[in-house]
Amino acid sequence: MSTPADDPLGRERGHLAASRAALRAMREDAESLDIKDVTANWVNAQILERQINERIKALADLSDTPLFFGRLDYLHAPGAEQAEGADGERFYIGRRHVHDHDGDPMVIDWRAPVSQPFYRASKKDPMDVGLRRRFGYTRGDITAYEDEHLSDPAEAATTSKLLQQEIERPRVGPMRDIVATIQPEQDEIVRSGLGGTVCVQGGPGTGKTAVGLHRVAYLLYAHRDRLARTGTLVIGPNRSFLHYIEQVLPALGELSVQQATVDDLVAKGIEVRGTDEASAAVIKGDARMAQVVRRAVYSHVVLPTEPVVVVRGSRRWRVPAYELEEIVRELLDRDIRYGAARAALPQRIAHAVLVQMERAGEAPDDRVQDAVARNTAVKAAVKEIWPPVDPAKLVLRLLTDADFLAAHADGILDEDEQKTILWAKPVRSVKSAKWSASDAVLIDEATDVVERTHSLGHVVLDEAQDLSPMQYRAVGRRCTTGSATVLGDLAQGTTPWATRSWDEALAHLGKSDGVIEELTAGFRVPTDVITYASRLLPHIAPGLTPVASVRENPGFFDLRETTDTADVIAACEELLRNEGSTGLIAADARVPALSEALDAAGIGCLAPGEETTEETRLTLVPASLAKGLEYDYVVLDEPQAVVDGEPDERTGLRRLYVSLTRAVSGLIVTHAAPLPQQLA
């Protein structure tokens, strides 16, 4: 059935239907592939089958997700000479590439170079685009469109209503992608090259997390073969946060990116069951501990005082102590991993024996050298000179043996610092030890001194401001030969060891040449809310630029004095009458009482990270877990209690700043106690 020429919306709906049909055909083609006769062995067959299955999953048509969200009409064919009368081309911009049975594109991937003007073209720089069209959707169906004639000087620049609506669309469920709303300054970061590390400082609602995830998706598009070999990883602050963001990349067709916390990376082979006092955690997280650990590892090397005598047949070959010492010192000077040097030592001793054999007129080959390296006398000497080191046992000794710690922390940690990190009670074994998260990082450091950590092609590190220098080193080890995207906000640093500057953080990460970008345009937090929260900035991060909300809707904001928890519950009930999600954020100590009050009122609630549904749209959030999360509406209970829940006022005010900035559409602050004076 044809669409009337005067029905542009009908034509666009027709193109959407045809594109969906083409995507189904692409999926069916992938499902029908027969690989029986095209693989050489079962290993190749399994690899190819997995790749095909991933391709099939990536071609899934999500009915509630727009297949394309924009259109570009170029004045000329991209890449062609802009000659008078040259025909332009039309491209539909979407989440993935779709082509028809002839191979002609029906939807262009948002990451393709030809899609870039959708995000960056403007009236000042139209980038040869005559028309940019944005589409409005309701449950996957096109319901509206909006045009900008970028090359028409008679048309004034305007703010896109559809763009504003998409930004303010209610949030139910996990975090979603922002491919339809990426702004020029965000796009510049997203499309930055794989070779360099980028650090993004962004206040609440500036989209830094989304930018980091979309940069991963872009890099996988632009460098798929390389990253398929080397791997990509997204590191978040906790499991709740990772669960919240886990659907963003699959929605963009990327299924191979791993997610983890720093604790997941370093707690290999040990169980973290203990916690540190803040004072001990700060010292254990200090970069100076890397030098202490390294000294302790290499203290096991003993310079030889006896020769090695190798017996082969009727001949005895003697390598004198002074020559062994030269070999050992050479290996130490090369600054290679402890384990690699230990593995090289028997071969070096064997080579010294072979030199003597050749001088004696023999003609030994590599097999002889290998046999000498395995000789009992050589192995005994290596064990004595360069013994194996167990990283966990080494760290356990540092934390329990005052003399051992003092010997290797001399000139690095003072006596009080050493006493602070020493365990009060003796521990029998590695398994019985109550390791803390900070201890696990020390073990990871020791492990890397012994054996090089595997490096990935690209790592995204979110909420990076909260990491200690030793945690930065642990992450940096995972991308020594790759690059990183570092995301965070210095004003939201809520650990005693929170980083003071991004230059310092990048140095600990091993990426001192990283580029620091700052996002200051706020798309999530309403104007009235961010203006109120920004009163805290002079007290928690005086050097930062306050976020300026670009939302036309100022949002809903209210301060309410309360007498009991019933008033807090009433505020939740009020906000739940709106569409979308609601978060009740409170000091951790107040969460149990609020949970009981919600139960008594018959209001169901979720824990952070659990997916909201149409039936249950309220999440009860301890302030310590609020970072990185967002809700359409928020009730913040007792700001002073949030501040008092932290070990010091500055950290408490930062935690409050985080809690105040989780709302997308409205915020109610309830309090019986006086508000912190910094909010006055």
Side-chain angles (χ1 to χ4, degrees):
M1 186 177 70
S2 62
T3 303
D6 59 351
D7 182 14
L9 192 58
R11 289 199 302 275
E12 301 294 18
R13 286 171 172 163
H15 187 78
L16 176 61
S19 299
R20 288 195 184 281
L23 182 60
R24 283 195 300 273
M26 290 170 64
R27 184 181 172 96
E28 289 167 0
D29 287 344
E31 291 171 335
S32 65
L33 288 173
D34 185 356
I35 63 172
K36 291 179 182 177
D37 300 323
V38 297
T39 54
N41 52 55
W42 69 271
V43 175
N44 289 343
Q46 282 196 327
I47 294 172
L48 185 56
E49 184 177 359
R50 187 181 72 246
Q51 291 173 339
I52 291 173
N53 288 335
E54 290 178 353
R55 170 71 172 163
I56 292 169
K57 290 178 183 177
L59 291 172
D61 186 5
L62 308 177
S63 59
D64 289 340
T65 302
L67 191 56
F68 56 80
F69 46 81
R71 193 183 101 188
L72 289 177
D73 291 4
Y74 278 88
L75 296 177
H76 309 86
E81 292 293 328
Q82 297 186 11
E84 190 68 31
D87 292 331
E89 290 191 56
R90 173 176 297 172
F91 299 99
Y92 287 84
I93 313 302
R95 286 168 172 77
R96 58 177 58 82
H97 175 86
V98 180
H99 58 254
D100 61 19
H101 60 86
D102 293 323
D104 294 327
M106 300 191 71
V107 180
I108 299 293
D109 194 301
W110 65 276
R111 298 167 287 189
V114 77
S115 303
Q116 187 171 338
F118 183 79
Y119 302 108
R120 297 203 192 178
S122 64
K123 294 291 290 185
K124 290 183 179 179
D125 182 15
M127 301 176 72
D128 201 43
V129 172
L131 173 73
R132 175 168 57 199
R133 176 169 288 180
R134 300 181 190 274
F135 296 105
Y137 281 82
T138 303
R139 295 184 179 85
D141 295 326
I142 298 177
T143 53
Y145 69 89
E146 184 180 75
D147 289 345
E148 297 172 88
H149 297 88
L150 297 175
S151 298
D152 183 357
E155 182 179 289
T158 59
T159 301
S160 169
K161 299 294 184 184
L162 289 179
L163 187 64
Q164 287 285 335
Q165 290 172 11
E166 175 63 20
I167 291 172
E168 298 176 12
R169 182 158 57 93
R171 282 143 169 81
V172 176
M175 181 179 178
R176 59 177 183 257
D177 66 68
I178 61 164
V179 287
T181 61
I182 294 173
Q183 298 300 291
E185 65 272 19
Q186 296 174 325
D187 188 67
E188 188 172 341
I189 297 170
V190 166
R191 295 177 193 265
S192 55
L194 177 60
T197 288
V198 178
C199 176
V200 183
Q201 159 63 40
T206 55
K208 57 185 177 295
T209 296
V211 165
L213 294 174
H214 287 66
R215 186 178 183 218
V216 169
Y218 172 77
L219 292 176
L220 285 167
Y221 174 88
H223 307 278
R224 189 167 303 280
D225 290 343
R226 177 176 171 183
L227 290 178
R229 294 192 305 271
T230 56
T232 51
L233 175 67
V234 174
I235 301 174
N238 52 58
R239 281 277 139 206
S240 297
F241 178 84
L242 291 177
H243 183 67
Y244 177 64
I245 67 170
E246 67 184 357
Q247 295 303 317
V248 174
L249 288 168
L252 299 173
E254 300 300 342
L255 308 170
S256 61
V257 180
Q258 301 298 310
Q259 295 185 341
T261 64
V262 173
D263 291 347
D264 293 333
L265 296 178
V266 301
K268 304 289 186 180
I270 64 162
E271 183 181 357
V272 175
R273 297 182 294 139
T275 55
D276 285 314
E277 294 288 337
S279 56
V282 168
I283 297 170
K284 289 180 182 180
D286 193 299
R288 293 176 297 163
M289 286 301 299
Q291 190 176 353
V292 175
V293 168
R294 184 175 183 83
R295 277 186 183 179
V297 170
Y298 278 93
S299 71
H300 290 78
V301 178
V302 179
L303 292 177
T305 57
E306 299 292 333
V308 172
V309 179
V310 177
V311 178
R312 283 184 59 81
S314 61
R315 301 294 300 271
R316 293 164 60 88
W317 306 98
R318 183 176 181 275
V319 182
Y322 76 86
E323 189 171 347
L324 291 175
E325 182 177 338
E326 289 176 358
I327 293 171
V328 172
R329 289 191 182 280
E330 182 196 352
L331 288 172
L332 288 171
D333 290 343
R334 287 185 59 193
D335 197 29
I336 58 177
R337 293 297 193 281
Y338 183 93
R342 185 176 189 275
L345 181 56
Q347 290 290 336
R348 294 297 180 89
I349 296 173
H351 177 72
V353 171
L354 260 66
V355 170
Q356 293 185 31
M357 289 180 175
E358 290 170 347
R359 287 173 181 167
E362 296 188 18
D365 56 17
D366 290 345
R367 288 175 298 177
V368 174
Q369 179 166 333
D370 289 340
V372 172
R374 295 193 302 269
N375 182 274
T376 303
V378 173
K379 289 196 292 185
V382 170
K383 186 176 181 180
E384 182 71 24
I385 297 168
W386 212 295
V389 171
D390 182 301
K393 288 181 179 178
L394 176 95
V395 173
L396 183 63
R397 189 178 176 192
L398 279 172
L399 298 176
T400 56
D401 185 335
D403 292 337
F404 187 70
L405 176 62
H408 304 300
D410 183 41
I412 301 174
L413 304 179
D414 62 33
E415 290 186 10
D416 288 340
E417 288 174 320
Q418 293 175 34
K419 289 178 182 178
T420 300
I421 64 173
L422 277 169
W423 290 357
K425 297 180 180 179
V427 178
R428 292 181 181 178
S429 67
V430 168
K431 287 188 176 180
S432 64
K434 288 188 176 181
W435 298 108
S436 69
S438 301
D439 298 333
V441 177
L442 294 178
I443 295 173
D444 191 71
E445 181 78 32
T447 302
D448 186 69
V449 176
V450 174
E451 184 178 347
R452 185 181 298 277
T453 304
H454 173 68
S455 175
L456 299 165
H458 192 76
V459 170
V460 174
L461 177 60
D462 206 350
E463 300 296 347
Q465 72 281 344
D466 277 338
L467 269 61
S468 70
M470 290 296 285
Q471 287 176 315
Y472 279 119
R473 288 176 60 87
V475 174
R477 286 192 281 278
R478 271 75 186 177
C479 55
T480 50
T481 58
S483 56
T485 301
V486 181
L487 312 165
D489 179 11
L490 296 177
Q492 296 185 59
T494 51
T495 56
W497 48 82
T499 191
R500 292 169 293 184
S501 76
W502 291 123
D503 285 328
E504 182 181 295
L506 289 171
H508 292 310
L509 195 69
K511 304 293 182 183
S512 296
D513 57 348
V515 176
I516 301 172
E517 303 282 358
E518 187 171 9
L519 296 175
T520 58
F523 304 98
R524 172 170 55 79
V525 187
T527 300
D528 289 355
V529 174
I530 194 63
T531 300
Y532 183 71
S534 294
R535 296 181 182 184
L536 297 175
L537 281 181
H539 308 280
I540 60 176
L544 289 186
T545 304
V547 172
S549 178
V550 299
R551 300 267 297 275
E552 292 187 346
N553 180 358
F556 170 73
F557 175 66
D558 197 13
L559 285 171
R560 298 181 184 177
E561 289 194 41
T562 61
T563 56
D564 54 32
T565 55
D567 295 331
V568 180
I569 304 305
C572 292
E573 291 176 320
E574 176 185 333
L575 294 182
L576 284 169
R577 297 187 193 108
N578 299 304
E579 185 182 1
S581 59
T582 297
L584 171 55
I585 303 177
D588 292 30
R590 289 181 56 81
V591 167
L594 290 171
S595 179
E596 290 181 9
L598 289 169
D599 286 342
I603 301 175
C605 67
L606 304 165
E610 293 182 342
E611 190 168 331
T612 55
T613 65
E614 293 297 334
E615 295 75 28
T616 307
R617 295 182 290 113
L618 177 67
T619 303
L620 178 56
V621 187
S624 62
L625 295 181
K627 192 172 296 179
L629 305 179
E630 60 183 38
Y631 303 94
D632 289 291
Y633 295 91
V634 167
V635 175
L636 175 59
D637 168 70
E638 290 296 353
Q640 188 61 55
V642 174
V643 177
D644 294 341
E646 299 299 328
D648 60 83
E649 185 181 59
R650 188 184 189 195
T651 303
L653 290 173
R654 287 182 168 186
R655 184 77 71 191
L656 178 58
Y657 181 73
V658 171
S659 302
L660 283 167
T661 54
R662 300 303 98 198
V664 176
S665 297
L667 170 67
I668 297 176
V669 177
T670 59
H671 65 102
L675 293 169
Q677 62 178 1
Q678 291 85 355
L679 287 176

